[in-house]
Amino acid sequence: MDAPQDFLKDAAIFNLTDKRLSGPEPDCRRKRYRTIWVSDIHLGTKGCNSELLIDFLDSVDSETMYLVGDIIDGWRMKKKFYWPPEHNDVIWRVLKRARRGTRIVYIPGNHDEMFRQFTGLNFGKVEIRRKAIHETADGRRLLVLHGDEFDAIMLSHRWLAHLGDMAYTAMMVLNRWVNGIRGWLGRPYWSLSKHAKHRVKNAVEFISKFEEIVAEEAGRRGVDGVVCGHIHTAEIRTIEGVEYYNDGDWVEGCTALVEHFDGRMEILHWADEIAARDTDERRMPAAA
């Protein structure tokens, strides 16, 4: 994979004339938000929870959607090409939103950095940007960026970042086995890696330090808050007067950050949303 064009040609994922990009308007029963942020989907890997993401995309709509990096995992695909039909379905759903009029802003991360050379261009009505400023409904200005810019390991020891990526991939394999068994037992999705990360002191300290550095930089840039991804840990917190938002990921936590029409921000944990929906459906009386 020497060039982005080669990747796009081989994957055949951006066919803008595909009939699946046309179709009826979204179901009125979908939840509507002013803005949606998703990141760290890692299409092109077996760890991507495409099934949950497709359910999410089929259940929500928004005026604006930000794709906050690591949407496609170029690191993994350089080593082994993997692209099941479900990953095409994710891309088609995003492009269909753009065709319907949803503003789509794509901010590439470190795993899909091959798209950073297209910064400033629009591709299939998707805006490719290095970073963005989002103004909420209640007038706050939020800096939106992937976040790898503030990862000391990425900046100073790229080889160590790749080593960590290999260890993380191994954890994802174990995570799939665990959830395969849980599914067979009728249990909902559960993230082994997320659980482990919150139990390891060094990981907790790294996450906290990362959040503080990102918030500090946002404060220096004179914005009210920052939205990022990268560390696969969804969070909403205020740090030294700066609002820090992380939309999480679709490998471990399966989360998205949303803005309601009054400017209120919320993290959606989609596995929990599905579990609650299934519980409600079981409680509904059978049709006569």
Side-chain angles (χ1 to χ4, degrees):
M1 193 190 307
D2 295 326
Q5 295 92 333
D6 296 334
F7 164 73
L8 296 176
K9 181 179 179 181
D10 293 341
I13 59 174
F14 289 113
N15 181 2
L16 302 182
T17 62
D18 193 285
K19 63 182 179 182
R20 278 163 284 198
L21 294 180
S22 60
E25 290 301 304
D27 193 321
C28 62
R29 292 172 296 180
R30 292 185 181 187
K31 294 182 179 180
R32 284 195 56 81
Y33 300 99
R34 186 171 184 265
T35 315
I36 294 173
W37 290 265
V38 295
S39 73
D40 299 273
I41 297 172
H42 291 275
L43 294 169
T45 71
K46 293 182 179 180
C48 171
N49 271 297
S50 54
E51 182 178 348
L52 269 68
L53 179 56
I54 288 171
D55 186 272
F56 171 77
L57 293 173
D58 287 346
S59 303
V60 300
D61 270 303
S62 63
E63 295 178 352
T64 303
M65 172 177 278
Y66 288 93
L67 306 174
V68 196
D70 288 1
I71 305 304
I72 296 169
D73 196 323
W75 286 13
R76 187 60 45 196
M77 294 183 72
K78 284 180 181 178
K79 299 174 182 177
K80 184 177 181 181
F81 187 85
Y82 173 80
W83 196 270
E86 294 79 13
H87 292 196
N88 266 348
D89 293 340
V90 170
I91 295 293
W92 281 321
R93 278 165 169 78
V94 171
L95 292 178
K96 188 173 180 179
R97 284 169 184 263
R99 290 282 290 267
R100 289 201 317 254
T102 300
R103 184 190 178 204
I104 306 290
V105 181
Y106 176 26
I107 300 172
N110 51 303
H111 282 257
D112 49 8
E113 61 189 354
M114 63 270 195
F115 294 112
R116 285 177 171 171
Q117 65 180 293
F118 300 121
T119 294
L121 301 179
N122 288 9
F123 189 79
K125 299 188 177 181
V126 174
E127 304 171 26
I128 303 177
R129 302 290 182 265
R130 192 66 178 85
K131 57 183 177 292
I133 297 292
H134 174 79
E135 186 168 333
T136 64
D138 51 5
R140 290 171 293 128
R141 296 174 69 247
L142 306 178
L143 173 67
V144 185
L145 73 177
H146 180 62
D148 61 294
E149 300 93 331
F150 307 104
D151 188 338
I153 294 176
M154 273 298 304
L155 293 175
S156 59
H157 299 291
R158 191 174 180 86
W159 67 269
L160 187 57
H162 281 276
L163 183 62
D165 180 62
M166 292 171 61
Y168 183 75
T169 300
M171 177 70 81
M172 289 299 96
V173 172
L174 182 57
N175 192 67
R176 289 199 303 275
W177 276 97
V178 169
N179 278 287
I181 295 172
R182 287 177 64 85
W184 182 70
L185 294 174
R187 304 294 298 277
Y189 175 82
W190 177 76
S191 176
L192 169 66
S193 53
K194 181 180 178 182
H195 176 78
K197 191 158 58 177
H198 283 280
R199 288 291 186 271
V200 178
K201 181 180 179 181
N202 288 342
V204 173
E205 290 177 351
F206 170 81
I207 291 169
S208 179
K209 186 64 176 177
F210 175 87
E211 294 172 347
E212 291 168 4
I213 291 173
V214 173
E216 181 181 350
E217 178 61 25
R220 280 200 293 265
R221 298 189 187 189
V223 295
D224 300 296
V226 59
V227 179
C228 63
H230 186 52
I231 59 172
H232 294 208
T233 303
E235 183 67 89
I236 295 178
R237 60 183 290 212
T238 301
I239 305 172
E240 299 293 329
V242 177
E243 297 167 354
Y244 170 87
Y245 302 99
N246 194 302
D247 58 25
D249 70 286
W250 289 89
V251 176
E252 304 175 61
C254 299
T255 56
L257 177 69
V258 298
E259 177 196 0
H260 293 265
F261 285 94
D262 59 1
R264 180 169 53 92
M265 307 286 277
E266 179 185 5
I267 292 173
L268 301 181
H269 297 263
W270 204 248
D272 294 342
E273 296 277 340
I274 291 176
R277 184 177 65 202
D278 291 344
T279 298
D280 291 342
E281 290 176 354
R282 287 195 295 268
R283 288 176 178 173
M284 292 177 61

